[in-house]
Amino acid sequence: LFGYQNEELNEQSIEKLFAKSAKGESFIAKLKSGTGSHPIALEALSSEQEIIAVEVATTDFEGPDGARILATIIDVTERYKLEALKRDFYAMVSHDIRTPLTTISGVLQMSRRGRYGPVSEELANRLQMAEDNTQRLLEMVGKLLDLDKLEDGTIELKLEPVPVATIVGGAINSTVTQREEKGISISGRDHGLVVTCDGHYLTQVLTNLVANAIRYSPAGGAIAITAEELDDWVLVTVSDQGPGVPESSRAAIFERFKQSDAARDQKSGFGLGLSICKSIVTLHGGQIGVDTAPGGGARFWFKVAKA
């Protein structure tokens, strides 16, 4: 890593290996502040005076000659490069993809409505298909950007007491159109419970779970939303009458771009919604999961702190 032979460093100050470091005891104290769970970021300096991004963790131990420090130094240059590429990618998605897609969607919509001349029924249907697909791409872009903010921790939650009824009502109201199209009924029980959360983001989680339940429920089916108190937590569940989620896929579906059945699900989404739900619930200090609903189907659940 440093490009030195052992004899070149023997009896030399450890400060020689780092750039812009504090001097003397203050540097040793800084070095020792790094632990296995919380390493510190430093700039190492090679024999060629090349700066290398590193993370350092230290452990104190007693050796035959007295107190010693074991320092573990990891080169994180490639990680920094990948993070830079990731930032560039999301910037490109935000500016170079979303803007043209929004323009395309607007032109398709105006064309379908006859803004540029008469449109036959067949052409109108084709334009509607193109518009729908453009909206799906815009939705994916939006979810990618949301996920990036959540994972970077750049979203600040506004935590306050929120009635579960408010969250359930928001999710039910947001999915009226989808439910009516399939003739699906929905019921909700909250027992007057109140949770500590950011109401906007937790409503987004429940709305996503309800939308998924509608997507995979048979026409004329029923969805049940329940909430119950578990010590210091409130458990919220969404149960449907769909095909359910195989046990082997239950952990993976909360990862980005993962779906329970790729062949079946690829036309209905991008595998980002549940990943966003997990990130939001995790930010709340809660948990999320899925199991089998009574009578079959899927039962998605999450729990957050009771107010």
Side-chain angles (χ1 to χ4, degrees):
L1 174 62
F2 293 99
Y4 286 105
Q5 298 298 320
N6 283 348
E7 56 270 18
E8 295 178 85
L9 293 177
N10 193 31
E11 300 296 333
Q12 295 293 314
S13 169
I14 193 172
E15 297 162 14
K16 182 175 182 177
L17 298 179
F18 295 92
K20 302 177 184 176
S21 61
K23 300 298 181 183
E25 290 297 324
S26 58
F27 177 67
I28 294 297
K30 181 178 181 180
L31 202 66
K32 290 176 67 176
S33 68
T35 64
S37 57
H38 295 92
I40 60 169
L42 292 173
E43 291 182 341
L45 195 62
S46 74
S47 61
E48 302 294 331
Q49 300 301 295
E50 175 190 6
I51 292 178
I52 307 164
V54 297
E55 285 185 351
V56 183
T58 59
T59 304
D60 291 325
F61 69 97
E62 288 292 331
D65 301 321
R68 292 289 183 266
I69 301 172
L70 171 66
T72 305
I73 303 171
I74 300 174
D75 183 348
V76 293
T77 305
E78 289 303 316
R79 186 199 305 170
Y80 281 14
K81 288 180 180 178
L82 287 173
E83 288 176 353
L85 285 173
K86 177 184 172 183
R87 289 193 297 270
D88 290 344
F89 168 74
Y90 281 113
M92 181 267 293
V93 165
S94 179
H95 300 103
D96 299 341
I97 295 181
R98 184 163 57 177
T99 300
L101 281 175
T102 303
T103 302
I104 292 169
S105 178
V107 171
L108 288 169
Q109 188 178 86
M110 288 189 290
S111 298
R112 178 173 54 82
R113 294 177 177 177
R115 174 66 176 78
Y116 306 116
V119 177
S120 66
E121 183 177 351
E122 181 181 0
L123 179 56
N125 291 335
R126 298 287 183 179
L127 290 170
Q128 182 67 66
M129 289 173 57
E131 188 180 334
D132 290 344
N133 283 322
T134 305
Q135 286 300 319
R136 287 181 69 238
L137 286 172
L138 280 168
E139 180 183 348
M140 182 190 71
V141 168
K143 286 183 175 180
L144 273 173
L145 296 174
D146 285 345
L147 196 56
D148 180 50
K149 292 177 183 177
L150 286 165
E151 291 182 346
D152 283 353
T154 54
I155 288 180
E156 291 187 8
L157 298 180
K158 183 182 178 182
L159 298 178
E160 59 186 355
V162 178
V164 174
T166 300
I167 297 167
V168 173
I172 291 176
N173 291 336
S174 297
T175 54
V176 169
T177 303
Q178 297 97 306
R179 291 200 318 277
E180 290 180 346
E181 287 177 353
K182 297 185 69 172
I184 291 173
S185 62
I186 190 166
S187 61
R189 288 188 295 112
D190 59 68
H191 303 292
L193 296 170
V194 180
V195 294
T196 299
C197 71
D198 185 308
H200 168 75
Y201 284 109
L202 208 62
T203 300
Q204 183 180 342
V205 170
L206 189 57
T207 300
N208 196 296
L209 297 183
V210 171
N212 277 351
I214 294 169
R215 185 177 297 124
Y216 296 112
S217 291
I223 294 170
I225 303 174
T226 67
E228 60 180 298
E229 188 175 344
L230 296 175
D231 297 325
D232 295 329
W233 303 90
V234 171
L235 176 70
V236 180
T237 69
V238 179
S239 302
D240 62 46
Q241 298 173 327
V245 180
E247 190 169 353
S248 59
S249 303
R250 290 177 184 174
I253 61 172
F254 291 98
E255 300 174 15
R256 60 171 69 188
F257 302 115
K258 295 289 186 179
Q259 296 169 319
S260 173
D261 185 332
R264 179 194 67 196
D265 301 338
Q266 61 183 353
K267 293 182 180 180
S268 60
F270 297 96
L272 290 171
L274 289 177
S275 180
I276 291 173
C277 289
K278 181 179 179 180
S279 295
I280 292 174
V281 172
T282 300
L283 277 178
H284 281 81
Q287 293 178 305
I288 189 169
V290 60
D291 49 36
T292 302
R299 186 186 81 130
F300 281 87
W301 58 267
F302 64 86
K303 64 178 184 178
V304 291
K306 180 180 67 175

